[in-house]
Amino acid sequence: MSRLSESSQKTVTVIGAGVAGMSAACALAEAGFRVQLVERRGYLGGRASSYLHPGVNEVIDNCQHVLFGCCTNLLGFYRRIGVSDRIHWTSEMTMIEPGGRRSRLGPFGLGPLRLPAPLHSAPSFLNAKAFTLADKLALARAMRAMMAPEAMVDSRESLGAWLRRHKQTEGAINRFWRLVIASALNAEIDEIAVPYAAKVIRELFLNSAEAGSMGMSTVPLSELYANVTPFIEQRGGSVLLNTHVEGAAWNEDSAQWLICTRAGELVSDFVILALPFEATQKLLPRLSAEEGAEKLARQIERHEHWPICSVHLWFDREITDLEDAVLLDREIHWMYNQSRLQTGRGGHYIELVVSATRSFAALPREAAIELALRELAEFFPRVKEAKLEKAALVKEMYATFGVPPGIDSARPGPASSWPQLFLAGDWTATGWPSTMESAARSGHLAAEALGLSAENPLRCFEQDLKPQGFMRFFR
Ligand SMILES: Cc1cc2nc3c(=O)[nH]c(=O)nc-3n(C[C@H](O)[C@H](O)[C@H](O)COP(=O)(O)OP(=O)(O)OC[C@H]3O[C@@H](n4cnc5c(N)ncnc54)[C@H](O)[C@@H]3O)c2cc1C
């Protein structure tokens, strides 16, 4: 990759400092561009961030964020800013039934001696008490079908219809497809396109043990990004927080953008809009009029949000020795034992996550916390003896965008119809659902597209992990 000399250094303004904006900004700063990263909030991270919750006086993530070994671009971004060692990895997923019976999903083997993919997880599925024999046969049939190339081709069929066509049992649907897959995609099964579910299945359970291993930050999310500002500043750029961008105008004569913010004006050769779809939509009428803007506006109108809620509980004692678990058959879906996961976290802090449930999101605070506590006690009886010291409920109503059949035609690529302006954000065309990996991919794709147009090509996009074992024949 070539670095630009000081005199020819082009300026890039990246608007939005979520994972998409930070990934693009750091890659471009490394390639020699002078980067201005502009964020309306007072901190970095966007939807994947942490903050001091005034109600409990604790720094909490706006929700537990998990990543997987297959998140190559997110991991590339973490490597660039030097925080890869702050991720705790596990290859096991513990499923618990009300009453406490546990099943463990994950690779099976002794040390490096593992069954070849996709069989590496098969023994754990066969042993799982959470599924009946009929459930297991149904799951094996469906996973085999998801290995076929047709499962990766978009059609009008939803995951729900596909599961019914592949004769999935009630247990397989409720305990696996709804809970593990649909909650990873944060939507109801009838609102999910089959290729997105197939992607999750392939990466988490079939392609390789490495791709499916689960990672969680050992520090609050915003601490992960502490190196971003120095990284950009050391390369001649700047990070502007509390700076809300209100519009931008292209100046044909100087071939530059004039960006209007609530804190003043900025001039820039290039712009990357690294915003969620609704913030992009708000900005469209405030950009210079351009052919193609109408098409983008129509694409954005097709996107829809799904909520995620998290309940944060502090007890006077430990209620489980597990680090994390999937909770079956109840409203709450995932348990994260933050006192064990995050280093230096005192106390006994448990976070519960409820995905894709509009009814839970509609509950008032007291009712939501009461329901969560009642259900938690069904999985971990020690909750009944423990004293709840404090609690917080975080409702993210605009958490993620849905991936219904046909959504790919509403996801634009990095190039836009404006000169020297590029698009990023998890909702743009990455082939991934609404995740930090999709955001990091979009940032790297936009940075590469910008580099090409500035005649300073850079390589920052990280290729996918190669499927292992027999999965090499099912690409
Ligand atoms: C509750 C919850 C749980 C989640 N769980 C997971 C998970 O477990 N794993 C996972 O991979 N993903 C998860 N996600 C999804 C993940 O957080 C997002 O996909 C990802 O963070 C999106 O990044 P982004 O940069 O595209 O957008 P954002 O994070 O939304 O960043 C956009 C930034 O632009 C800023 N901005 C907006 N308008 C302006 C403006 N006019 N001027 C300046 N700045 C502006 C915003 O303040 C924001 O910081 C979760 C999301 C939520 C909300």
Side-chain angles (χ1 to χ4, degrees):
M1 156 189 330
S2 62
R3 283 185 65 84
L4 297 172
S5 70
E6 191 100 328
S7 57
S8 64
Q9 210 179 17
K10 299 275 186 196
T11 48
V12 180
T13 300
V14 179
I15 305 175
V19 172
M22 291 188 292
S23 311
C26 291
L28 288 164
E30 190 175 74
F33 290 89
R34 189 193 299 266
V35 174
Q36 307 179 112
L37 177 59
V38 183
E39 167 57 45
R40 79 182 155 97
R41 290 188 176 137
Y43 53 90
L44 304 174
R47 276 171 282 159
S49 55
S50 51
Y51 61 97
L52 180 69
H53 190 293
V56 286
N57 197 29
E58 298 265 0
V59 173
I60 60 171
D61 292 344
N62 65 336
C63 186
Q64 171 67 51
H65 275 64
V66 299
L67 61 137
F68 291 90
C70 54
C71 296
T72 50
N73 282 272
L74 182 64
L75 291 168
F77 164 59
Y78 288 167
R79 265 196 308 278
R80 182 163 287 115
I81 59 168
V83 295
S84 309
D85 60 345
R86 306 233 179 121
I87 305 298
H88 167 73
W89 292 99
T90 171
S91 51
E92 287 192 0
M93 187 183 284
T94 305
M95 304 177 98
I96 313 189
E97 294 163 71
R101 190 166 70 161
R102 297 180 183 184
S103 305
R104 187 198 69 87
L105 298 185
F108 177 83
L110 292 172
L113 296 176
R114 285 218 176 108
L115 289 172
L119 302 173
H120 58 290
S121 298
S124 69
F125 271 96
L126 287 173
N127 275 335
K129 298 182 197 80
F131 302 117
T132 64
L133 180 61
D135 298 337
K136 290 172 191 173
L137 291 172
L139 285 171
R141 211 169 35 244
M143 290 207 192
R144 175 66 190 86
M146 285 206 161
M147 282 157 62
E150 305 85 74
M152 299 305 285
V153 178
D154 199 8
S155 73
R156 298 178 72 89
E157 191 176 30
S158 70
L159 175 63
W162 189 95
L163 294 176
R164 288 186 282 277
R165 188 156 65 78
H166 287 80
K167 305 212 174 351
Q168 293 300 286
T169 56
E170 209 175 309
I173 290 186
N174 288 332
R175 292 188 159 183
F176 185 76
W177 295 106
R178 257 203 186 103
L179 192 51
V180 179
I181 302 307
S183 81
L185 290 163
N186 196 34
E188 300 280 357
I189 51 175
D190 288 321
E191 302 283 339
I192 293 173
V194 178
Y196 283 96
K199 177 156 200 60
V200 174
I201 285 286
R202 281 169 174 244
E203 296 288 9
L204 269 51
F205 296 102
L206 304 177
N207 277 351
S208 67
E210 186 190 356
S213 61
M214 185 163 101
M216 288 161 279
S217 175
T218 56
V219 294
L221 282 169
S222 293
E223 271 185 44
L224 267 188
Y225 318 129
N227 295 346
V228 168
T229 301
F231 187 95
I232 292 172
E233 285 175 353
Q234 281 155 18
R235 289 159 181 82
S238 53
V239 176
L240 309 175
L241 298 177
N242 301 308
T243 306
H244 192 122
V245 172
E246 299 198 303
W250 171 247
N251 183 331
E252 194 70 56
D253 297 333
S254 63
Q256 283 182 316
W257 283 94
L258 180 68
I259 298 155
C260 305
T261 82
R262 286 187 194 161
E265 289 179 346
L266 302 167
V267 175
S268 186
D269 298 311
F270 292 88
V271 172
I272 294 182
L273 291 186
L275 300 170
F277 66 85
E278 67 276 23
T280 310
Q281 188 173 37
K282 271 191 206 145
L283 217 51
L284 285 185
R286 293 168 191 167
L287 293 178
S288 325
E290 191 65 44
E291 242 176 80
E294 186 55 32
K295 182 182 172 210
L296 181 58
R298 279 199 307 273
Q299 284 179 309
I300 292 176
E301 275 165 18
R302 289 176 49 201
H303 286 277
E304 191 195 1
H305 279 116
W306 285 84
I308 300 183
C309 297
S310 52
V311 182
H312 304 252
L313 304 168
W314 283 263
F315 292 101
D316 67 343
R317 68 197 74 183
E318 188 159 78
I319 58 127
T320 174
D321 52 5
L322 285 175
E323 289 177 346
D324 60 278
V326 182
L327 309 178
L328 300 174
D329 305 338
R330 293 292 179 267
E331 283 282 306
I332 50 175
H333 298 148
W334 303 81
M335 182 284 298
Y336 299 96
N337 191 343
Q338 296 295 10
S339 292
R340 284 186 172 245
L341 289 167
Q342 295 191 347
T343 43
R345 220 6 132 175
H348 304 289
Y349 168 25
I350 296 286
E351 178 177 346
L352 306 173
V353 176
V354 186
S355 302
T357 318
R358 298 197 199 279
S359 56
F360 189 89
L363 288 177
R365 179 183 181 278
E366 295 310 322
I369 292 173
E370 197 189 304
L371 174 66
L373 272 174
R374 203 169 54 239
E375 291 193 354
L376 191 64
E378 294 186 66
F379 299 94
F380 306 107
R382 279 189 245 160
V383 169
K384 290 179 196 139
E385 283 94 56
K387 182 169 163 256
L388 182 69
E389 293 178 331
K390 51 188 174 181
L393 170 70
V394 178
K395 292 183 185 179
E396 288 279 354
M397 301 309 286
Y398 304 104
T400 60
F401 63 89
V403 284
I407 196 64
D408 285 348
S409 59
R411 299 184 73 181
S416 80
S417 35
W418 290 270
Q420 296 175 199
L421 183 143
F422 297 84
L423 299 174
D426 62 351
W427 63 282
T428 59
T430 64
W432 276 67
S434 185
T435 50
M436 297 183 289
E437 171 61 14
S438 183
R441 275 182 178 232
S442 75
H444 289 164
L445 287 169
E448 287 196 356
L450 190 155
L452 269 182
S453 112
E455 295 176 0
N456 180 39
L458 63 136
R459 292 283 307 274
C460 55
F461 187 80
E462 306 279 347
Q463 297 303 320
D464 290 342
L465 292 182
K466 288 202 168 62
Q468 301 292 310
F470 301 123
M471 285 307 286
R472 282 176 292 177
F473 308 112
F474 291 95
R475 289 201 193 180

